[in-house]
Amino acid sequence: MTRIVTLVAVLLIGLGVARPALAQDDCGGRPGFAGIALANGYSFDWMIWRPFDQTERGWLAYLPLISRELGTRCAPDTPGFAVALAGFQKRYGLVANGLFTRDTFQVFKGLWQERRPFVMARVADICPDPPPQSELGYLDPTEEHADRMVRLLQYDVLNAYRVMVRAARAEVPEIAENPELLQVFSSYRDPEADAARCAREGNCDGLRRAVCSPHRTGRAIDLYVGHLAGHGVDSTRWANRRHQTRGPAYRWLVENAHRFGFVPYVYEPWHWEWTGPTTEVLNSERLAPRPHIPPMMVK
């Protein structure tokens, strides 16, 4: 297998499609992974596949999550990345050659989905009940993106969101300079209203819109992370998603959202779900009122 990949790599060099390394870390790895690295670098940009419901080119959109899972800052066209990927493949019983494959991505995808409590409930054929209105708090107008009427989140989720955004703006100048980044464009959605819209638009097929949406829980938020010109903020076209995952907001979320209890839905860079309180949130100043306490009484 290694010989075949090496031959492919040599061919790619001859075609002039080898890419420069994207990272400056010491990612030389072991010499035997040089051919694998070149093949990964090519597929990173050019592999044609259908990881979800549409044809995509390359796997750049998934690189931030993959790199975090592997614990590497090495670029995908380096031996260091291939070595890290081979270690992951070995842990999960795959062929440990360091070559990015569809089968390897399926394992990544499964791990990321298992970390979403909502997904695990759906696996058990449970559609969670929506929270009572008394457990929902209002976003501020400055937290809402454009003219969408999103308004509500569970109080603890609202607090964690605010603590997270404050941290992001303190840590990343590009986010601080653009108040639009990390605004919410969808939060709690009433199940009955969602069902009515499904009936009206005929698109609750599990692909374009979920029959049982995580937004019914008041724990799911869609955050503005940028968008490609000519596309909507929640366009699932692969070019738009690839653009979004290259931006500072998404990159920061991948590395830091877990500090505040949020996990991603890999297919939608904007979609994040709250799993519960974390130490960082509990130790922070509370930025959202607790249930049943009027805002004017909260200090």
Side-chain angles (χ1 to χ4, degrees):
M1 179 66 182
T2 301
R3 290 182 178 178
I4 294 174
V5 174
T6 302
L7 288 173
V8 171
V10 171
L11 176 59
L12 297 179
I13 292 174
L15 293 174
V17 296
R19 302 172 62 256
L22 302 178
Q24 299 301 317
D25 299 323
D26 180 14
C27 297
R30 296 197 291 268
F33 282 88
I36 297 284
L38 191 52
N40 283 341
Y42 179 75
S43 71
F44 176 70
D45 275 333
W46 298 103
M47 184 172 80
I48 304 300
W49 63 322
R50 293 177 64 88
F52 290 91
D53 65 316
Q54 63 172 302
T55 300
E56 301 184 25
R57 195 196 79 199
W59 41 281
L60 184 153
Y62 309 107
L63 180 63
L65 286 173
I66 291 172
S67 294
R68 175 167 172 75
E69 196 69 43
L70 297 180
T72 182
R73 295 179 61 85
C74 293
D77 57 355
T78 63
F81 181 90
V83 169
L85 185 57
F88 174 87
Q89 291 168 326
K90 183 177 181 180
R91 287 195 300 276
Y92 290 96
L94 301 168
V95 177
N97 56 12
L99 183 67
F100 182 86
T101 64
R102 293 167 176 80
D103 288 343
T104 299
F105 181 77
Q106 285 300 113
V107 176
F108 281 122
K109 180 179 172 182
L111 290 173
W112 298 327
Q113 291 289 75
E114 288 173 1
R115 293 169 189 161
R116 298 171 58 198
F118 180 84
V119 168
M120 300 315 293
R122 297 300 293 136
V123 169
D125 201 27
I126 298 170
C127 185
D129 292 329
Q133 288 289 322
S134 60
E135 293 182 6
L136 297 171
Y138 284 92
L139 287 98
D140 292 332
T142 58
E143 296 169 330
E144 299 177 357
H145 187 265
D147 297 323
R148 300 203 184 193
M149 297 297 291
V150 293
R151 304 303 291 158
L152 297 169
L153 280 173
Q154 284 196 35
Y155 280 98
D156 286 342
V157 184
L158 178 57
N159 183 64
Y161 161 73
R162 287 175 174 169
V163 173
M164 180 173 72
V165 172
R166 183 173 65 175
R169 290 175 177 162
E171 296 171 16
V172 183
E174 290 174 278
I175 297 177
E177 293 167 4
N178 183 355
E180 190 177 15
L181 289 175
L182 300 183
Q183 286 182 331
V184 179
F185 64 82
S186 188
S187 53
Y188 169 74
R189 295 207 298 258
D190 177 72
E192 293 185 4
D194 245 7
R197 184 168 66 167
C198 282
R200 183 172 63 253
E201 299 178 2
N203 59 6
C204 274
D205 53 11
L207 296 175
R208 291 170 292 175
R209 184 171 295 144
V211 176
C212 174
S213 169
H215 286 280
R216 71 190 286 124
T217 66
R219 289 174 166 239
I221 52 175
D222 290 345
L223 303 175
Y224 179 72
V225 293
H227 68 289
L228 193 63
H231 294 71
V233 297
D234 56 356
S235 168
T236 57
R237 298 299 298 268
W238 70 270
N240 183 62
R241 293 186 293 109
R242 184 174 62 175
H243 173 82
Q244 291 174 321
T245 60
R246 301 179 73 174
Y250 181 76
R251 297 285 175 124
W252 186 90
L253 287 168
V254 167
E255 294 297 328
N256 297 280
H258 67 280
R259 293 163 44 192
F260 310 92
F262 290 95
V263 295
Y265 171 35
V266 59
Y267 184 60
E268 298 178 351
W270 55 84
H271 183 100
W272 296 78
E273 295 172 17
W274 196 67
T275 62
T278 63
T279 300
E280 183 155 352
V281 171
L282 293 173
N283 290 340
S284 298
E285 173 191 2
R286 188 170 183 88
L287 302 179
R290 294 183 182 277
H292 319 304
I293 301 179
M296 67 284 296
M297 297 181 63
V298 178
K299 297 182 179 180

